[in-house]
Amino acid sequence: MTMQTVGVLGCGLMGSGIAQTCAQAGYRTVVREVDEGALAAGLGRIDKFLEAGVKKGKLTSEVRDETRGRLTGTTRVEGLSACDLVIEAIVENLDAKREAFAAVETVVGDQTIFASNTSSLCVTEIAAATERPDRFAGLHFFNPVPIMKLVEVVRALPTSDATYQAVFTFAESLGKEPITAPDRPGFIVNRLLVPYLLDAIRAYERGIGTAEDIDKGMTLGCGHPMGPLTLLDFVGLDTTYYIAEIMFQEFKEPAYAPPPLLKRMMLAGRLGRKSGRGFYRY
Ligand code: CAA
Ligand code: NAD
């Protein structure tokens, strides 16, 4: 099937990046947020990223303007009625995602495909709550979306071959490199990445090193672009906590258990870059 109009649910860290990437690839894109304040903040993040891209010489001002011209924001679910594909990127919570898709289902056509950007939830469980489980797949992007090349395409148990092919081809059309991932918490990348990030928090909590030295160790010693504590601040400590809880519930393995410090930082509102303070101050 051909996609022309893409809907994105949520214009937070990931939703804004996904919406930008879709619009930049030529799709008419509608992004929905819960209120005008959150929408303005999300669209502002896109404008800033596009502007920085022009300044770095990565894109022309024409591309910036065309991208923005294809992108609209809305707070109303009806704004998504013309979408061929709706990609959900809201909080990592099963009930919230089910409710969001139920609302979208009342306004879109039968052929519209749904995709979730969940990091760790069971895609089959989200799909099963909709009236179109065969037209549902996981489409897991990486942060920052406009830069990171990978997309994990997740085939849930009820996902039809046609849907799977359509979303895989769609990911390629964004200029991404899709890989096929199983419907298991964390898919491929987070299954490996999350225990590492949680271990870095445990190391910090136990005084193995300062935040700076732990990060310096992994950047200069292993060639990682960001140290683990910087990456945690970048991903968001709330999102990381939800992901760890979900993975621990599924696997019951200590490697996925959220460390006590992560929970306390989340409860104290130290969410990383997005709140101005995490392991570092911004
Ligand atoms: N517009 C267009 N291009 C831009 C840009 C912009 N606004 N800003 C940067 N770029 C380009 C740069 O030009 C550069 O491209 P080239 O390599 O072709 O020169 C590239 O993006 C990297 O940018 P910089 O060199 O300026 O920035 P950096 O070196 O500080 O890298 C980073 C930034 C890409 C974020 C890097 O630090 C990185 O890769 N960090 C790790 C990110 C990561 O691990 N993400 C995954 C998180 S986990 C996840 O997402 C899954 C989950 O479920 C939680
Ligand atoms: P975020 O907190 O930055 O953004 C979530 C946004 O969704 C908020 O702006 C919120 O107002 C909005 N929202 C909540 N309910 C909504 C609804 N019903 N309709 C529309 N908007 C709604 O979170 P994020 O980091 O962007 O994460 C979003 C999803 O992407 C999660 O499932 C997360 O696991 C996944 N993910 C996150 C990362 C990351 O690095 N942060 C990477 C890959 C995947």
Side-chain angles (χ1 to χ4, degrees):
M1 83 177 275
T2 52
M3 313 268 191
Q4 289 182 336
T5 307
V6 179
V8 180
L9 281 174
C11 198
L13 276 180
M14 295 303 288
S16 58
I18 295 168
Q20 180 192 322
T21 302
C22 294
Q24 215 165 318
Y27 294 98
R28 275 197 303 274
T29 306
V30 187
V31 60
R32 183 194 177 223
E33 254 296 346
V34 287
D35 57 43
E36 292 294 344
L39 184 60
L43 293 174
R45 195 175 302 116
I46 295 173
D47 286 335
K48 207 170 148 194
F49 201 96
L50 288 170
E51 205 47 55
V54 174
K55 286 211 177 88
K56 282 175 193 269
K58 284 284 160 179
L59 48 103
T60 62
S61 48
E62 286 75 30
V63 170
R64 174 199 60 198
D65 296 343
E66 283 164 16
T67 300
R68 274 309 259 123
R70 283 190 284 266
L71 183 62
T72 50
T74 182
T75 55
R76 296 174 66 248
V77 72
E78 291 78 7
L80 302 173
S81 60
C83 294
D84 304 304
L85 169 70
V86 175
I87 306 170
E88 167 277 315
I90 69 166
V91 63
E92 187 72 341
N93 176 284
L94 180 62
D95 290 338
K97 289 185 191 292
R98 281 175 157 174
E99 270 174 37
F101 278 119
V104 177
E105 200 137 47
T106 63
V107 301
V108 295
D110 278 351
Q111 296 311 309
T112 302
I113 291 179
F114 286 173
S116 175
N117 182 52
T118 180
S119 302
S120 54
L121 286 163
C122 172
V123 179
T124 299
E125 203 169 358
I126 314 173
T130 69
E131 286 164 18
R132 63 190 74 213
D134 58 318
R135 277 152 288 148
F136 199 110
L139 213 41
H140 185 224
F141 291 85
F142 288 80
N143 183 17
V145 181
I147 295 178
M148 305 307 278
K149 292 298 269 184
L150 189 72
V151 177
E152 289 178 308
V153 181
V154 183
R155 191 197 278 268
L157 206 57
T159 306
S160 69
D161 288 345
T163 299
Y164 176 78
Q165 262 321 317
V167 294
F168 198 96
T169 305
F170 170 77
E172 287 177 328
S173 76
L174 299 178
K176 300 296 185 194
E177 296 275 352
I179 57 173
T180 300
D183 185 17
R184 294 289 180 276
F187 314 126
I188 294 174
V189 174
N190 280 341
R191 191 168 181 139
L192 301 173
L193 178 67
V194 171
Y196 157 69
L197 294 178
L198 299 179
D199 256 350
I201 302 175
R202 286 188 260 273
Y204 175 68
E205 212 172 3
R206 286 173 197 159
I208 302 293
T210 61
E212 289 79 4
D213 282 349
I214 290 171
D215 280 348
K216 203 171 184 178
M218 295 310 293
T219 50
L220 300 187
C222 296
H224 291 192
M226 281 177 172
L229 302 175
T230 302
L231 183 55
L232 281 155
D233 277 358
F234 189 63
V235 166
L237 298 184
D238 48 349
T239 302
T240 306
Y241 177 76
Y242 304 141
I243 294 171
E245 270 290 1
I246 292 161
M247 294 184 78
F248 181 62
Q249 286 310 320
E250 175 88 11
F251 295 126
K252 305 282 190 304
E253 286 173 24
Y256 299 101
L261 179 63
L262 175 61
K263 180 174 175 178
R264 281 151 186 79
M265 288 179 74
M266 200 261 304
L267 292 172
R270 292 187 192 174
L271 309 182
R273 275 195 202 195
K274 64 175 150 187
S275 73
R277 186 168 180 189
F279 289 99
Y280 300 95
R281 286 178 189 269
Y282 300 90

